[in-house]
Amino acid sequence: MFNVIIATHGNLATEFERVLKSFFGKIDHLKAINLGDQGINAFSQKIDQVIAPNMNEPTIIFCDIAGGTPFNELAKRSMNWHNQFALFGGVNLPVLVETLNMRMQGKNMNEVIVKITAMSALIRFNMENAKKAEDE
């Protein structure tokens, strides 16, 4: 089993965690890190506390913005990882749900990475397809 860490600006990571728990119930090996008003030094310390026990375990880390502070702080620490590690920017709820669902199905981290990397961030509603579905 691999770990999942969510790191974001504001309280978004905690809100993602809260919603995921409403879908899945208790979730092991899931951590949320929020960059609030505490400043970069306190945030950096929090990151170190959360990732230290995971450095020897396979871990996927999701951040809200690629190139944002949470992403950059975790990217700096990526060289110290002793096991399989993946860092993603642009996290969204469908990707998190798919990640946890696949993990629950026993899929390995590489299989999950392939699947979530291929997922589109946005799905546009298409009125033509909706009308065709109504006609059938």
Side-chain angles (χ1 to χ4, degrees):
M1 179 179 290
F2 56 89
N3 297 305
V4 175
I5 298 172
I6 308 167
T8 65
H9 294 86
N11 292 320
L12 185 58
T14 297
E15 289 303 314
F16 274 135
E17 182 182 36
R18 184 181 63 76
V19 171
L20 291 167
K21 286 179 178 178
S22 76
F23 292 163
F24 294 100
K26 183 179 184 287
I27 305 171
D28 295 325
H29 305 283
L30 173 68
K31 299 286 185 201
I33 311 170
N34 299 296
L35 171 59
D37 297 333
Q38 78 270 32
I40 189 70
N41 290 333
F43 180 68
S44 262
Q45 290 173 357
K46 178 69 173 171
I47 287 174
D48 291 336
Q49 290 170 356
V50 169
I51 67 170
N54 299 303
M55 296 294 273
N56 293 316
E57 299 177 15
T59 303
I60 299 178
I61 301 175
F62 295 102
C63 297
D64 52 353
I65 302 171
T69 300
F71 184 93
N72 291 342
E73 286 299 309
L74 285 152
K76 288 179 198 175
R77 291 158 175 81
S78 64
M79 304 258 287
N80 299 326
W81 220 266
H82 305 297
N83 206 313
Q84 198 173 10
F85 166 87
L87 175 62
F88 289 94
V91 67
N92 60 56
L93 191 56
V95 165
L96 292 171
V97 168
E98 187 65 22
T99 298
L100 294 176
N101 194 36
M102 289 182 74
R103 186 176 77 172
M104 288 173 55
Q105 295 172 14
K107 304 293 184 189
N108 69 43
M109 191 168 140
N110 285 332
E111 291 172 297
V112 173
I113 289 170
V114 167
K115 172 71 185 240
I116 64 174
T117 301
M119 290 177 71
S120 175
L122 296 174
I123 297 178
R124 183 177 177 196
F125 176 76
N126 183 326
M127 183 62 85
E128 288 300 313
N129 289 342
K131 287 180 182 177
K132 287 178 189 174
E134 283 179 8
D135 293 340
E136 293 176 0

